């Protein structure tokens, strides 16, 4: 029941955001854009926020955003994205004749809101250096876990859907928790940099997750500190106003 209520809340919020984007883009100079690209996702392995580079998992990002000018060289860019996250782990034991790759690839519906500085670096002003930052909120909508390799000498090749618990953004006393599940809500901050060439742009983004996504644990007291970390490279296109 909580998942259904949360789903309705997210859908309502996204509807309001989209309507707001459409209304604001009707103003002069405000534009709608599309973006998509490659993610290199990971999950922290300890309380200090460290990650293991060998766990990087390729995924994708795709969505729409609005470019809302606040000043000549500053814009607000809210968006709605499909964002693939997760990590991969190798379990290897010669004594147990085991060598397995486990890939966890959750898919989120994400709402970033970035403030983006646009610094002209060409005489005509069409080429600009982009520097931005802002918060994001995300809601898990799908994904899978893939296990492949050998276990105790036998072949293993299994794929299953990710299981989500019934968490809410501001409470940890939720039902349906389990160590084999993920919390559905994620939130954090984005840092981005790139270039805009008239209507076409390329950006690099780092998503710093602040929520502990491991079900059955909280953000403050648990030894488990599983937080999303995502490097992204994206192409974007801004439609003429």
């Amino acid at each position: 029941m909580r998942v259904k209520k949360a789903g309705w809340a997210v859908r309502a919020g996204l509807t309001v955001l989209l309507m707001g984007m459409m209304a604001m883009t009707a103003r002069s100079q405000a534009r709608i854009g599309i973006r998509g690209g490659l993610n290199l996702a990971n999950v922290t392995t300890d309380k200090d926020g460290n990650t293991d580079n060998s766990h990087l998992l390729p995924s994708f990002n795709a969505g729409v955003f609005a470019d809302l000018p606040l000043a000549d060289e500053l814009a607000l860019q809210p968006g709605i994205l499909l964002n693939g996250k997760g990590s991969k782990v190798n379990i290897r034991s010669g004594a147990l004749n085991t060598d397995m790759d486990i890939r966890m690839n959750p898919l989120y519906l994400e709402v970033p809101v970035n403030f983006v500085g646009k610094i002209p670096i060409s005489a005509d002003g069409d080429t600009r250096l982009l520097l931005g930052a802002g918060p994001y909120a995300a809601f898990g909508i799908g994904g899978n876990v893939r296990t492949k390799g050998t276990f105790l000498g036998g072949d293993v090749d299994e794929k299953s859907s990710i299981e989500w618990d019934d968490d809410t953004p501001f409470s940890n006393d939720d039902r349906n928790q389990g160590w084999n599940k993920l919390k559905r809500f994620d939130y954090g901050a984005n840092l981005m940099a790139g270039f805009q060439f008239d209507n076409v742009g390329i950006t690099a983004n780092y998503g710093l997750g602040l929520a502990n996504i491991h079900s059955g644990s909280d953000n403050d007291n648990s030894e488990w500190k599983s937080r999303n970390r995502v490097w992204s490279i994206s192409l974007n296109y801004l439609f003429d106003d």
Side-chain angles (χ1 to χ4, degrees):
M1 182 62 70
R2 291 189 180 187
V3 170
K4 291 182 180 180
K5 290 181 179 179
W8 278 108
V10 170
R11 286 194 290 271
L14 292 174
T15 299
V16 171
L17 176 64
L18 183 59
M19 292 175 64
M21 289 168 58
M22 293 175 64
M24 295 186 75
T25 52
R27 300 171 55 188
S28 175
Q29 295 183 321
R31 295 188 288 175
I32 282 285
I34 56 174
R35 60 170 281 191
L38 171 70
N39 286 353
L40 293 175
N42 212 333
V43 174
T44 58
T45 57
D46 59 32
K47 295 177 67 173
D48 295 327
N50 296 314
T51 59
D52 187 332
N53 289 337
S54 65
H55 293 183
L56 281 174
L57 178 71
S59 190
F60 74 97
N61 65 85
V64 299
F65 67 97
D67 185 77
L68 312 174
L70 301 177
D72 289 342
E73 298 177 7
L74 179 66
L76 180 67
Q77 291 188 347
I80 301 175
L81 302 176
L82 284 175
N83 217 9
K85 304 186 181 185
S87 67
K88 64 181 180 181
V89 178
N90 178 262
I91 299 176
R92 183 173 299 169
S93 173
L96 297 177
N97 197 10
T98 294
D99 187 357
M100 295 190 303
D101 285 319
I102 302 174
R103 295 179 174 232
M104 179 190 69
N105 192 357
L107 182 64
Y108 291 86
L109 190 61
E110 186 166 305
V111 179
V113 181
N114 292 325
F115 290 89
V116 182
K118 301 182 175 183
I119 305 170
I121 56 175
S122 65
D124 58 10
D126 287 341
T127 301
R128 294 175 178 255
L129 171 66
L130 306 178
L131 297 172
Y136 77 80
F139 182 78
I141 60 172
N144 58 70
V145 178
R146 178 76 180 269
T147 303
K148 190 173 183 179
T150 59
F151 178 69
L152 299 177
D155 292 335
V156 177
D157 190 352
E158 298 179 353
K159 188 175 183 179
S160 60
S161 297
I162 284 180
E163 293 188 51
W164 306 91
D165 75 6
D166 296 339
D167 74 313
T168 57
F170 309 108
S171 174
N172 193 56
D173 56 349
D174 303 301
R175 300 177 183 178
N176 195 31
Q177 291 180 339
W179 295 105
N180 62 329
K181 299 176 182 179
L182 295 182
K183 292 185 177 181
R184 193 175 289 273
F185 286 91
D186 183 30
Y187 58 87
N190 287 312
L191 298 172
M192 58 88 72
F195 295 94
Q196 190 77 33
F197 308 98
D198 196 11
N199 289 35
V200 178
I202 181 169
T203 58
N205 187 87
Y206 182 64
L208 179 72
L210 300 177
N212 190 354
I213 63 172
H214 201 106
S215 178
S217 57
D218 60 40
N219 269 356
D220 298 321
N221 301 319
S222 174
E223 291 296 320
W224 290 84
K225 296 296 180 182
S226 302
R227 296 188 173 100
N228 284 313
R229 300 287 188 263
V230 184
W231 287 100
S232 303
I233 299 176
S234 305
L235 290 174
N236 66 68
Y237 182 83
L238 281 168
F239 295 97
D240 291 327
D241 53 2

